[in-house]
Amino acid sequence: MSDIIRTEHLTFAYPPDEGKDPVPALDGVDLSIRQGSFTAILGHNGSGKSTLAKHMNAVLLPGGGRVWVDGMDTLAEAALLEIRRRVGMVFQNPDNQIVANVVEEDVAFGPENLGVPTAEIPIGHVTNGVHLPSYAGPAMKPLLDGLLGEGWMELPPDAPQWDRLEGLPDTDLWAAKQAQKKALLEAVRASLPDFFKKYGIPYEKQKAMAARLTPESLVIGFARRFAPYKRATLLFADPDRLARLLDDADRPIIFIFAGKAHPADAQGIDMLQEVIRHMLDPRFFGKIFFIEDYNLAVSRTLVQGCDVWLNTPRRPYEACGTSGQKVPVNGGLNLSVSDGWWCEGYDGENGWTIGPVVTCEFLGAEQGDYDDAALLYALLEENVVPLYFDREAGDIPRNWLARMRRSLRTLTARFSSCRMVRDYLEGYYLPAARRDQELRADKDALARRLAAWKRDVTGRFNSLKMGEIRIEGLEKDELIGTRPMRVDVSITPGAMKPEELLVQLVAGPGNGQAFTDSPDVVELTRKDGEGSGPLIYACSYSPTRSG
């Protein structure tokens, strides 16, 4: 087999910002991708994966070295159009996507461009999930082992065992959560000596800061890459309002930040430094903490111990946001902008959404940082903080625990890697494997028949003629009352055989140009006999949705 893509000593650097040096991205990359092969390019954030991919269809051109696509040199201007036509490119970041805002739509552009109706393009998605054994905490795991039984981490979301959570005593759930919170606070306390030394904190202030690390506090965590779209500093949009929120001695609150910015991401580095500046601000001293040297161990401790997990991305940049999926199994609650997985996960009672609740299909209104910050403050002031410190029913926050239980029950299995793998297996891999076996059976007999039929059917289909289309039950494009709509279609098949024809009614919500949601597809039934005249197909249809 020949190389379909080949690079030789490929080098590339991004143009510098004013007064700065170029940013190297690729240095002497040699790569060979054989026709028919599958290739995975792995690397950490900023390692050059996307940059390399963009050279494969000439979105970027080499600064040094060469790239060939099916034998065509990307530096040959005459070949650029053909190279870009042959090599599709899909990215998860909307800034990089070519024609759409979400990956499914970007992938679907090719079939749409060939005239395939959007509703009939068989492109779906599987939502990410997290590996529960890696993140279930040392107190929550044995508690759930005893309640749900062996193998509970592999249970599907609709398994009846999850109903047992309703019988879990509040005191046991609260004790497990508090134990994991104490472990987090001890980890923060252990990081303080280096912080005190680095910033020259006086001894009295050291004691005051450490004294704030008590399990009675509401602990809100934020830990992830400090990429600009994740808006780590949204919390500080109105420092005075934040200071008032954190100044109530009867309702102690602490925020714990952790994360890293890419060395070449000046904006991300500035955001990280802004968190440190607020940590040193006298108004927030002992109320804002930052854990350095972010890694998997730090991440695990945070998701296990935090009461609330804060997520403030700018839509629609959050591809999934799996850190929040690790929180429910540990008795934590999500406080997130409606983006990524939270569009699917939030049900109104298992956490909180900052701003409008947005579905997976629609991006919603334009976001403003200050508007989102105001909505975040309002949620904290009016919902999150009062609920946590509501102890009217005793020494523990029973209404908070009800929301914890709801989060644990509705999100843990649904956003686990077991569910994710099951979805891939049942929805994609097994059907593909069965189809492959069918096509390969008897020395590829079905594949050969299908190929021959496809070569023949195009010419014969052109002889088919649509006749009268009669629709009953509509008045000025609106349904009459609750009666179903009836559709009759007359078709002259020409050279087509009746058994080759499938006639469907496709109906659903739209905006006048396209469907805005997956449409209903109803198959029409043939009414007539085997005569030589037109074929009549009919169906009745009752819409399942308005619009």
Side-chain angles (χ1 to χ4, degrees):
M1 289 187 180
S2 61
D3 291 337
I4 195 165
I5 293 176
R6 181 163 64 92
T7 72
E8 187 175 284
H9 308 312
L10 174 59
T11 301
F12 182 82
Y14 286 99
D17 294 331
E18 186 175 349
K20 296 186 177 181
D21 295 329
V23 181
L26 301 173
D27 184 14
V29 176
D30 293 319
L31 175 68
S32 173
I33 299 178
R34 310 284 284 178
Q35 185 174 353
S37 64
F38 293 87
T39 302
I41 302 171
L42 306 177
H44 57 75
N45 291 316
S47 62
K49 302 186 299 295
S50 295
T51 303
L52 177 58
K54 290 175 184 178
H55 279 82
M56 294 180 184
N57 73 340
V59 169
L60 294 176
L61 300 178
R66 306 286 283 277
V67 179
W68 291 271
V69 177
D70 206 11
M72 295 177 286
D73 190 338
T74 62
L75 292 178
E77 188 173 348
L80 291 182
L81 183 62
E82 180 62 17
I83 289 172
R84 291 167 182 166
R85 188 186 71 82
R86 292 193 187 189
V87 182
M89 196 67 63
V90 178
F91 296 93
Q92 72 176 25
N93 190 320
D95 282 347
N96 292 330
Q97 286 173 7
I98 299 168
V99 297
N101 286 304
V102 295
V103 172
E104 282 181 56
E105 294 173 4
D106 218 27
V107 175
F109 174 72
E112 286 175 345
N113 201 37
L114 296 174
V116 180
T118 303
E120 297 183 17
I121 297 173
I123 296 174
H125 72 276
V126 172
T127 301
N128 283 345
V130 295
H131 187 242
L132 292 177
S134 296
Y135 290 97
M140 288 296 298
K141 183 182 180 301
L143 178 68
L144 296 175
D145 284 344
L147 180 71
L148 302 176
E150 185 178 352
W152 65 268
M153 294 186 185
E154 300 174 6
L155 291 173
D158 58 355
Q161 288 92 324
W162 295 108
D163 294 339
R164 299 175 190 171
L165 287 169
E166 296 305 314
L168 177 62
D170 284 349
T171 51
D172 292 352
L173 181 57
W174 183 245
K177 183 61 197 177
Q178 289 297 92
Q180 293 185 185
K181 184 197 286 191
K182 289 175 183 176
L184 167 60
L185 298 178
E186 285 305 312
V188 175
R189 195 185 309 276
S191 73
L192 290 180
D194 288 341
F195 171 78
F196 295 151
K197 182 178 180 181
K198 181 180 293 186
Y199 294 99
I201 306 299
Y203 179 69
E204 289 303 318
K205 284 194 172 184
Q206 292 181 23
K207 289 200 303 181
M209 191 174 197
R212 295 275 304 183
L213 295 170
T214 67
E216 289 73 34
S217 298
L218 170 62
V219 177
I220 302 175
F222 181 104
R224 50 186 53 84
R225 285 187 302 121
F226 271 64
Y229 80 87
K230 291 181 180 287
R231 301 192 295 182
T233 56
L234 187 72
L235 180 68
F236 307 113
D238 186 343
D240 292 336
R241 186 171 180 181
L242 178 62
R244 289 194 297 272
L245 175 68
L246 300 184
D247 202 33
D248 187 343
D250 294 328
R251 293 178 168 183
I253 306 166
I254 59 176
F255 286 88
I256 302 176
F257 287 82
K260 290 181 177 179
H262 188 273
D265 183 0
Q267 190 176 354
I269 292 171
D270 288 344
M271 297 176 83
L272 193 153
Q273 292 173 340
E274 183 178 344
V275 172
I276 299 297
R277 286 196 297 272
H278 282 96
M279 185 176 176
L280 294 168
D281 187 319
R283 294 175 296 177
F284 304 121
F285 201 79
K287 302 168 187 177
I288 307 290
F289 294 85
F290 183 86
I291 302 178
E292 296 188 2
D293 298 324
Y294 183 59
N295 56 27
L296 286 175
V298 172
S299 167
R300 188 176 293 111
T301 302
L302 277 161
V303 297
Q304 290 173 355
C306 286
D307 295 302
V308 175
W309 196 251
L310 180 62
N311 186 37
T312 53
R314 183 177 288 109
R315 280 190 312 271
Y317 290 82
E318 190 72 275
C320 186
T322 53
S323 64
Q325 297 177 349
K326 303 163 188 172
V327 171
V329 71
N330 290 294
L333 293 170
N334 279 275
L335 172 59
S336 175
V337 166
S338 195
D339 197 15
W341 77 280
W342 194 236
C343 293
E344 301 176 41
Y346 179 63
D347 70 359
E349 298 178 355
N350 57 2
W352 297 273
T353 289
I354 303 166
V357 176
V358 178
T359 69
C360 300
E361 289 82 8
F362 305 107
L363 301 182
E366 189 72 20
Q367 281 180 288
D369 288 353
Y370 286 101
D371 289 341
D372 282 353
L375 291 166
L376 170 59
Y377 293 138
L379 270 175
L380 290 169
E381 294 163 347
E382 300 168 13
N383 298 91
V384 179
V385 175
L387 188 68
Y388 184 82
F389 289 103
D390 174 16
R391 307 297 167 94
E392 293 181 4
D395 293 333
I396 59 177
R398 297 192 184 275
N399 292 328
W400 181 275
L401 284 159
R403 192 166 286 250
M404 280 174 58
R405 189 178 284 103
R406 177 75 179 178
S407 170
L408 182 61
R409 181 177 183 177
T410 60
L411 301 175
T412 301
R414 188 177 170 195
F415 295 98
S416 73
S417 57
C418 282
R419 187 275 312 154
M420 177 185 71
V421 171
R422 191 180 298 116
D423 284 355
Y424 274 116
L425 185 66
E426 296 175 356
Y428 297 94
Y429 297 158
L430 288 180
R434 285 192 290 265
R435 183 60 172 164
D436 180 70
Q437 289 179 335
E438 292 172 358
L439 292 171
R440 291 179 180 273
D442 299 326
K443 298 182 179 180
D444 304 327
L446 179 57
R448 294 175 190 276
R449 291 200 303 273
L450 184 60
W453 180 79
K454 284 186 174 182
R455 286 193 298 269
D456 171 63
V457 74
T458 302
R460 293 191 294 111
F461 188 76
N462 289 335
S463 67
L464 181 146
K465 294 181 180 179
M466 293 287 293
E468 180 185 11
I469 300 176
R470 189 169 68 252
I471 302 175
E472 298 177 357
L474 285 181
E475 186 174 300
K476 294 182 180 181
D477 293 333
E478 293 184 1
L479 284 171
I480 302 172
T482 58
R483 294 191 333 224
M485 178 176 72
R486 179 172 177 81
V487 179
D488 290 87
V489 179
S490 171
I491 295 175
T492 301
M496 293 294 293
K497 302 172 184 176
E499 60 269 22
E500 293 178 308
L501 301 180
L502 175 65
V503 184
Q504 295 175 325
L505 170 68
V506 182
N511 57 14
Q513 296 178 330
F515 291 114
T516 56
D517 200 353
S518 299
D520 298 326
V521 179
V522 181
E523 184 175 340
L524 279 70
T525 303
R526 205 170 101 214
K527 295 169 52 180
D528 62 315
E530 296 289 339
S532 58
L535 304 177
I536 307 299
Y537 292 82
C539 76
S540 293
Y541 170 68
S542 296
T544 57
R545 295 158 289 183
S546 62

